[in-house]
Amino acid sequence: MIWKLALNGLQRNRRDYLILFTGMIISVAVFYMFLAIALNKEFITQNTVINHIQLVFVVGAALLFVITFFYLFYTNSFLLSLRKKEFGLYELIGAKKYQLKRVFLLETLSITAFALAAGLLLGFAFSGMVSALLMNQLNVEFTAFKVVYLPAIFWTSAYFLLAALITSSIHSSKLAKASIIGLLQAAVQNDFIPEKPKKAAWPLIVLGFVFLGIGYAALFFMEILRFVGLFTAPVMTTLGTYLLFSSLLPVIIRKWKSRNRANLKGINAFTLSQLSFRLNDLKWVLATIAMLIALSEGAIAGGFAFKNNAVTSIDQERLYDATLYNPSTAEEEILKSLSLTEQLSYRFKMDDQFIYYAEEELVENPPLIVDWIDYKQKRPGPLPEKLETDEAGYPILPDDWMTALETINPAFATTRPVRIVPLESFEKTGGEEIAIVLARTDKFQNYIPEWQALDRLQLSAFAQLQAGFDPVVDGLPGKYAQFERQYAFASGTFFMGFFLGLAFLTMLASILMFKILAGAGSDIRRYDSLRKLGVRKQLLSASLSKEILIVFLFPAFLGLLHVLIGMRIFTFVIGDPYYRLWVSLLIFLVTYGGYYFFTVHLYRKLVLPKA
């Protein structure tokens, strides 16, 4: 009997549940994808580039772990609110409290199992897509990666089923404590009629704008404030958001209603009254939705910005695209195939004590260096005729020439004291002689396959050196090796931000949809009364659409404003924090707009008759 009641409830609401639980399906898919990459030890050990991004996916899974639990808690609460009257009828005809708890528990676990199955299938697709995109972007071939990874399936299933069991148990306990009258009258509630705002509301409005202004100022001047701004901006912005939604929103609706021209047109009076009645219940949720919109859009936009920064920042850190030690014929052929803007050649020798350079080679072809005071490129100045010495008697080179030698010889420049000697003395000096070639093009990103090929050839070049440098342990000193590490981490951050933002966005839109639909029961009689008075169904449908649109627009406007200003929080770590911001805004409009139309569709089914 209990199974039959649960299955009947699921069958009657299957279409609505499919839409309502899209947020859970997306979160399951993203959670699985994060775990599939973070937990696969064999995949990580066999692909060293993944070591740089494993932590990113672990952090993403942890964030989703927390947010999803509260999302499941809220969805179970909403499901219970929809079924209270039905459970009251079951109890009225003789069902026991423990039987009602079992029905609710079976329903929620069945829904979770369905969402889990659909989410895992989508997660397999996400994992395959992300791995293919990473391989394409990093120009590597992954080994031992499994799209269907059993440990990730186990932990994803265990978490969502356990979370569903805990949240449904909490709400079923509330169901057991409710009286029959309370369950039967759950849909009948007295609407909160907001009073005319008192003067005391205006200080709160002013304080909300002050807090929001302080938060925005901290974001705008983040590059100057740094860590003070990192603390001040989120705290003040959050406080300002909640204060404005709780104090200013009622004033806006009341002022809107007071305009006779707008209020008396069509059934606007009814629409605005609907908003006014529901305002006390919605304002805190809308403030939370606004903050979640800022977080989800910030995560997606931040991912794009970090990925772009990995490409642009590498040119500032390394001026030369290739640093080749004892280049082979194959490496020289690759260099000839490139459109080089500069190519420099040097030699140095090493013994147990010193590194020797030929003075004439350095002076004739000084490399470009970065002046870190004004961040400008320049050549080092002329070498002094006589160098000062330190306490040990070693010559002290000018700072610009120390930087130049680190540019020329990044692998060994700081391993021994330097001696710059005349060419004749250099030729007579003993020790291993190593040739270095520096090369740069007009744009590093245009020749990624060539730089990668040169790096692979350099592995064999270092293996033949007697100097003891191990590129496997220390990493290749060239620009591409550093770019590969930065770009791998940035790509992981991009995918984490994109999918985490998408999961947050679907969940917050679902929460807003749940909250709006929860009031449908009390609206049925109002729309039915208007219909009986002769109001056309088209007018009622338009009123309903307008009411829900206003509810969706309030948090969207402030949330997107938070994003537009809030991206400045990255100004001191990212060159262009607004890179491709339009993409994240487009994703938001499509997803958020889709949920709006779903909400309107479901609300019409609940409150408007078919004929």
Side-chain angles (χ1 to χ4, degrees), residues 42-284:
E42 185 179 358
F43 168 60
I44 294 168
T45 54
Q46 294 189 26
N47 300 274
T48 55
V49 68
I50 298 299
N51 288 325
H52 306 298
I53 62 177
Q54 180 191 14
L55 180 62
V56 172
F57 288 100
V58 172
V59 172
L63 290 173
L64 202 58
F65 180 94
V66 177
I67 297 297
T68 303
F69 182 83
F70 290 102
Y71 173 74
L72 289 173
F73 187 88
Y74 194 89
T75 53
N76 277 314
S77 176
F78 172 72
L79 286 177
L80 180 59
S81 68
L82 290 181
R83 306 290 303 283
K84 279 184 177 179
K85 184 176 181 180
E86 183 179 343
F87 285 134
L89 290 174
Y90 290 160
E91 189 173 358
L92 189 64
I93 60 177
K96 304 297 182 183
K97 289 287 188 183
Y98 73 89
Q99 293 176 318
L100 298 181
K101 290 174 63 177
R102 288 182 183 177
V103 170
F104 181 71
L105 184 62
L106 286 173
E107 284 189 8
T108 52
L109 287 178
S110 300
I111 294 169
T112 303
F114 171 79
L116 187 60
L120 285 174
L121 291 176
L122 186 60
F124 300 155
F126 280 175
S127 299
M129 179 179 65
V130 169
S131 63
L133 290 173
L134 277 174
M135 284 190 291
N136 180 63
Q137 291 180 10
L138 301 177
N139 200 23
V140 296
E141 188 71 29
F142 289 157
T143 57
F145 181 73
K146 299 177 181 177
V147 171
V148 180
Y149 188 56
L150 293 180
I153 295 176
F154 171 78
W155 288 112
T156 302
S157 304
Y159 167 69
F160 278 90
L161 290 175
L162 181 61
L165 180 62
I166 293 173
T167 54
S168 60
S169 297
I170 294 172
H171 289 102
S172 61
S173 297
K174 294 180 180 179
L175 174 64
K177 294 178 182 179
S179 63
I180 296 179
I181 299 299
L183 292 174
L184 292 174
Q185 296 183 345
V188 180
Q189 55 183 358
N190 295 322
D191 292 312
F192 173 82
I193 302 177
E195 300 177 358
K196 185 176 181 180
K198 300 178 181 178
K199 293 182 179 180
W202 290 104
L204 293 177
I205 295 174
V206 173
L207 190 61
F209 277 113
V210 169
F211 283 166
L212 200 60
I214 293 173
Y216 283 174
L219 289 167
F220 194 80
F221 297 104
M222 183 61 64
E223 195 169 0
I224 300 173
L225 297 175
R226 300 294 177 106
F227 294 107
V228 175
L230 283 174
F231 174 78
T232 304
V235 172
M236 291 293 104
T237 303
T238 303
L239 289 175
T241 300
Y242 278 93
L243 279 174
L244 287 179
F245 269 97
S246 63
S247 58
L248 181 61
L249 210 54
V251 174
I252 292 175
I253 299 298
R254 184 168 290 277
K255 290 293 183 182
W256 198 352
K257 286 183 65 179
S258 65
R259 295 178 60 191
N260 290 333
R261 184 176 178 182
N263 197 36
L264 298 178
K265 185 177 180 180
I267 57 172
N268 282 348
F270 170 74
T271 304
L272 294 173
S273 295
Q274 284 283 94
L275 282 172
S276 184
F277 288 146
R278 200 170 291 129
L279 192 59
N280 189 61
D281 192 35
L282 284 178
K283 56 189 178 183
W284 299 109

